[in-house]
Amino acid sequence: MSDSRGAAMSDGRTATKGLAFHRLSAPSVLALARGEGGGAAVEELLTAERSRRLLLVRALADSLGEGDPPHPAGTAPMAHRAAWTLLARTQQRAPRVFENILMSPQTGMWLSLALRRLRGATAYEDAPLWVVAGHLSALAAAVGARAGLDFSLTVPVRHGRVPLPTLGCAVFADAAEPWGTAQVDAREGRLRITAGRETVTAGPEWSRSAPGWHAVRRLELEPTGPGKVLLLDELDPYRTFPHPSPPRLLSADEARTWQELLTGAWEILRRDEPQSTEAMRVGLMSLAPTPARERYRPHSVTAGDAFGGVMASRPDDVAQLAATLVHEFQHTKLGGLIHLGPLSEPSAPPGAPEQLFYAPWRDDPRPLGGLLQGIYAFAGVARFWSVHRHAADAAYAPMAHFEFALWRAQVSSTVDLVHRHDRLTALGRRLLGTLRERCEEWMAEPVPPAELALAQEVAADHRARWRAHHLRPPAAAVQDAVEAWRRGDARPPAALAAPPELAPVADTRYLDTAAVLARYRLGAPAADPSDIEGVTAADLLLARGDLSGAREAFVTQLAGKETASDAWAGLGRALAGATEHRDASRLLRHHPERARAVQSALEHATGRGADPVELATWLGLGPGETDLD
């Protein structure tokens, strides 16, 4: 199980004589830099990923060879040796089967986590090390079974379950201990999996569930097309990222719903994103379903070590799922590209604090590497909505126009923020330069005025809330402002306008409430959004256009002892349009962190704060504030 090719970008030269490096073709580099890339580009990424996987397998073999991890007496060493032997037999006799399981997302995730664990890194699961390492035997058993080989192998049992990757999972009702071992015997295409006194029989029809055996679901997304099969994986412990998890079996209704949603999303992608569909046909391998979340707050994850795998919550509609698949596969492509060549250099000097940035799609500040991931992913989302808004039915079109207007602006502003950053590599500069040109094209596209205005308002709200949470004006300037306010000065001190400091607040959540409420307005106007996490009565009044009521509600919030940072940004929106509050509104929509800091300092100094509107009005008279709009 080896490969002579390294996994690195190259211009044709070799770093070591006789050692060949993977290279992307010029068309693939250009397409990927534009945020695109079809099946050919993904094939090239997968070829490099294959070499990387084989290197990880070799590293695992070396690590296990240095000494077996703690294990039940007499089981693990024999299992490891037998597993390597069975894997080698399968690679010789059924190479396509071996390649299929080697390249599965779950195998990539397990290899990465197992190597980190063997080398002393923090564990991502509670399984003992011998169970994690013993997953090699479960992998070998699945490979051998799919190849039709006869064998006997000892595999781990996890809480009464024996998962066999890409095949299914055996369940033992009488398992008394959380961790144990089972014997897998394969004869003439059938498996007997025995743990204690229980035996589960499976095969040769792997797709059929049986007593004690849950088969992996394979969904056919194109019954009348060229064929795309996607694993709907509810069984493999390494299907979820980054933390492994036990199986979560879908009911028959849930499985049918996922089939309908995925089939519908695939049809949309075939029509609106044909190049992405070709790329996903090659590289999208499995989806791990998770329960539905709050409406208009879907959750999805990919991992760089699990090329081709997606974890996603049940979506609200097929268009949302289509956008999610595009978003996550953008991460997959970029992860494959980064394995060949980094987009940015490490922060210097070593050990220095990581520079953090505002990311319009996150509640927390992000490092440069994470920001580049978000830019690339949401560039794909903007591209999807740019086309789908013209193909969607009349009822859904406003939502699609809004999503396009929102994400093109968010991606464009973020690219502008970092496209000249000095830590970008040549590849990173090329990628951001190309995406910047694409954003310019999108920004020139017309959007209906109502949806455009709503997207702009939502974008500004998120940024203001983020600033209120994570930015702090210079402490000395805040103290000067408190003293100036108490003296009755006509204006705040100029020093308050100095660049604020980043002071990230842990566990900041729900900065997207304006976006969620906007989606309710566009997609579910009759629904009641009052139970949305993070949404206050003041937010609801604001979303309904009751500016007067919202103002009173936000002022009441700000008078409380537990002042919500979000309320300052909300108050700024509620004051918009009132001439007498123009300065206050402008200040709070652009620099709510100043009002929050000064009010907090006032309360600390005097035991009571100022009237929020009066304070914001005064702060809005600071130098340069009239140029904000």
Side-chain angles (χ1 to χ4, degrees):
M1 290 176 287
S2 63
D3 196 303
S4 63
R5 294 168 294 181
M9 290 288 284
S10 173
D11 59 1
R13 295 171 292 181
T14 54
T16 304
K17 188 175 181 180
L19 180 64
F21 292 90
H22 285 287
R23 294 184 300 175
L24 286 177
S25 65
S28 292
V29 171
L30 291 173
L32 290 168
R34 193 173 168 83
E36 299 170 354
V42 174
E43 288 280 11
E44 292 181 35
L45 293 176
L46 279 169
T47 300
E49 181 65 20
R50 176 184 181 275
S51 291
R52 182 176 179 274
R53 291 281 175 90
L54 288 171
L55 290 172
L56 291 175
V57 169
R58 178 55 186 267
L60 181 67
D62 291 344
S63 296
L64 292 176
E66 294 169 1
D68 294 303
H71 55 81
T75 60
M78 183 184 302
H80 292 330
R81 289 194 294 271
W84 289 123
T85 299
L86 182 55
L87 285 168
R89 283 175 61 198
T90 309
Q91 188 182 27
Q92 293 280 334
R93 298 189 186 186
R96 290 185 64 181
V97 171
F98 175 85
E99 294 290 329
N100 180 269
I101 295 185
L102 172 71
M103 296 306 296
S104 77
Q106 296 82 355
T107 298
M109 198 70 234
W110 165 71
L111 278 169
S112 174
L113 294 180
L115 279 169
R116 293 173 189 172
R117 183 82 176 272
L118 285 165
R119 293 172 179 176
T122 301
Y124 278 85
E125 57 179 318
D126 61 353
L129 181 53
W130 68 266
V131 172
V132 176
H135 189 73
L136 174 71
S137 298
L139 198 72
V143 169
R146 288 183 56 180
L149 302 179
D150 291 350
F151 63 87
S152 294
L153 206 59
T154 302
V155 299
V157 178
R158 297 166 172 261
H159 295 280
R161 307 178 186 93
V162 175
L164 298 182
T166 76
L167 286 184
C169 181
V171 179
F172 296 93
D174 296 335
E177 300 295 330
W179 318 108
T181 59
Q183 188 72 17
V184 180
D185 296 297
R187 297 291 182 272
E188 298 180 352
R190 291 184 178 276
L191 289 182
R192 287 175 54 84
I193 308 167
T194 303
R197 298 180 180 180
E198 289 185 85
T199 297
V200 172
T201 302
E205 296 290 338
W206 304 115
S207 61
R208 293 183 180 178
S209 294
W213 173 255
H214 298 284
V216 168
R217 297 182 193 271
R218 286 176 166 79
L219 304 186
E220 173 59 67
L221 301 186
E222 298 177 50
T224 60
K228 170 59 184 175
V229 176
L230 185 72
L231 266 63
L232 189 65
D233 194 349
E234 56 202 302
L235 303 173
D236 195 299
Y238 296 97
R239 73 195 185 281
T240 53
F241 320 128
H243 299 280
S245 60
R248 180 191 170 273
L249 298 179
L250 298 175
S251 68
D253 286 343
E254 286 178 309
R256 278 192 298 271
T257 297
W258 272 105
Q259 173 76 69
E260 292 168 359
L261 287 166
L262 283 163
T263 302
W266 193 255
E267 281 302 308
I268 288 176
L269 292 174
R270 289 179 68 188
R271 181 193 66 203
D272 299 344
E273 283 266 319
Q275 188 181 64
S276 290
T277 305
E278 279 307 305
M280 288 187 228
R281 193 189 305 281
V282 173
L284 181 62
M285 304 173 198
S286 68
L287 185 144
T290 62
R293 310 241 305 189
E294 275 195 319
R295 195 170 195 167
Y296 301 124
R297 276 181 172 152
H299 178 69
S300 59
V301 185
T302 50
D305 292 316
F307 193 109
V310 173
M311 182 174 73
S313 62
R314 194 176 73 192
D316 300 313
D317 54 61
V318 292
Q320 185 187 88
L321 179 56
T324 295
L325 293 177
V326 170
H327 172 260
E328 295 302 343
F329 201 70
Q330 290 286 105
H331 282 304
T332 294
K333 291 186 297 183
L334 191 63
L337 183 62
I338 290 173
H339 284 162
L340 293 169
L343 302 182
S344 61
E345 301 291 351
S347 59
E354 182 79 66
Q355 184 180 10
L356 300 176
F357 300 88
Y358 169 62
W361 37 82
R362 296 277 300 213
D363 291 339
D364 56 335
R366 300 294 289 159
L368 181 60
L371 193 70
L372 296 176
Q373 283 280 354
I375 287 171
Y376 199 79
F378 282 97
V381 172
R383 185 188 65 235
F384 167 76
W385 291 113
S386 72
V387 177
H388 184 65
R389 67 197 185 107
H390 299 300
D393 59 44
Y396 201 84
M399 177 78 81
H401 285 302
F402 164 79
E403 298 289 359
F404 171 62
L406 177 63
W407 296 119
R408 70 171 181 180
Q410 302 290 48
V411 173
S412 180
S413 64
T414 311
V415 170
D416 284 343
L417 179 67
V418 296
H419 77 283
R420 291 180 178 173
H421 199 283
D422 57 9
R423 280 178 49 205
L424 292 174
T425 63
L427 179 61
R429 288 192 298 272
R430 168 182 279 191
L431 184 143
L432 287 187
T434 307
L435 288 181
R436 195 163 184 250
E437 294 174 358
R438 190 71 180 97
C439 287
E440 290 174 354
E441 296 171 5
W442 287 330
M443 294 302 291
E445 294 184 22
V447 174
E451 287 75 44
L452 177 61
L454 187 59
Q456 291 171 338
E457 186 175 7
V458 163
D461 181 272
H462 187 277
R463 187 177 187 89
R465 289 172 185 251
W466 187 92
R467 292 183 67 94
H469 277 272
H470 299 300
L471 296 184
R472 297 292 179 270
V478 171
Q479 188 58 41
D480 289 346
V482 169
E483 294 173 2
W485 172 265
R486 297 181 69 184
R487 285 194 305 266
D489 290 2
R491 293 176 180 272
L496 198 63
E501 300 171 355
L502 182 64
V505 177
D507 300 323
T508 298
R509 303 174 69 189
Y510 310 128
L511 302 188
D512 65 340
T513 53
V516 173
L517 289 170
R519 292 179 179 114
Y520 265 88
R521 171 177 164 183
L522 294 170
D528 179 9
S530 59
D531 291 334
I532 300 172
E533 289 283 350
V535 171
T536 66
D539 293 320
L540 291 173
L541 291 168
L542 189 60
R544 293 168 186 156
D546 183 354
L547 299 186
S548 177
R551 172 191 165 180
E552 292 181 11
F554 282 123
V555 167
T556 300
Q557 276 186 252
L558 292 168
K561 293 183 178 180
E562 298 294 331
T563 300
S565 302
D566 296 345
W568 289 107
L571 179 60
R573 289 176 61 199
L575 296 173
T579 305
E580 68 273 22
H581 298 309
R582 180 184 59 189
D583 294 332
S585 175
R586 184 170 53 235
L587 183 284
L588 294 178
R589 286 184 291 118
H590 291 276
H591 295 294
E593 72 278 4
R594 296 180 191 171
R596 180 192 179 195
V598 173
Q599 182 78 310
S600 177
L602 273 171
E603 291 172 348
H604 180 75
T606 67
R608 60 192 298 269
D611 177 273
V613 177
E614 292 180 7
L615 179 62
T617 299
W618 180 72
L619 292 171
L621 298 176
E625 300 301 340
T626 56
D627 299 326
L628 289 175
D629 284 341

